[in-house]
Amino acid sequence: MKTLIIIGGFIWIGLFLFHALFWRLFDWKIDLEKLIPVNKAIMQVMNLALMLFTLIFGYISFFHADELLTTPLGKTILIGIVSFGIFRTSLQFSFFDLNDIRSKLFAGAMVFGTVIYLIPLISIFMS
């Protein structure tokens, strides 16, 4: 189960890198100028905050996998990671055009990343 958590850590770091590229990938320099200043700021602040969140979960997955699996706080964090994944995946289906292959690929990645943590979580509660 620890291996799955570490694989999950790589997914979190990948999400961090993906979010770090948002300005370039999604032409934010141009597109964000179309927004009123407060909405432009909100978009960037939320993305930067999410980047920190992904780094924290990546760090926890790499350096505290054993604690995630064995301690009450670790199990609570593991529940939080799985809850985040389920919530984020459901938003993907609600807000993105699933006719776009990129949306389908990202939705698949979100499902995969959630299952990576769900398997250890289920095993904890089954034992």
Side-chain angles (χ1 to χ4, degrees), residues 16-98:
F16 168 80
L17 295 172
F18 179 58
H19 279 268
L21 295 171
F22 271 21
W23 285 265
R24 182 173 297 172
L25 290 173
F26 300 111
D27 237 351
W28 273 13
K29 186 173 185 176
I30 294 168
D31 283 355
L32 290 179
E33 289 303 320
K34 299 172 188 172
L35 300 175
I36 62 172
V38 69
N39 286 341
K40 177 182 176 180
I42 289 169
M43 289 288 293
Q44 293 180 88
V45 167
M46 286 187 346
N47 188 55
L48 290 166
L50 189 55
M51 287 170 61
L52 177 61
F53 185 77
T54 61
L55 278 180
I56 291 168
F57 274 3
Y59 173 84
I60 291 169
S61 296
F62 287 135
F63 299 106
H64 298 285
D66 288 328
E67 290 93 330
L68 285 174
L69 297 167
T70 59
T71 67
L73 178 58
K75 292 173 188 175
T76 300
I77 292 170
L78 194 56
I79 290 168
I81 291 171
V82 170
S83 298
F84 176 85
I86 291 168
F87 181 69
R88 176 59 182 83
T89 301
S90 68
L91 293 176
Q92 183 78 21
F93 290 106
S94 299
F95 287 95
F96 287 83
D97 176 12
L98 292 179

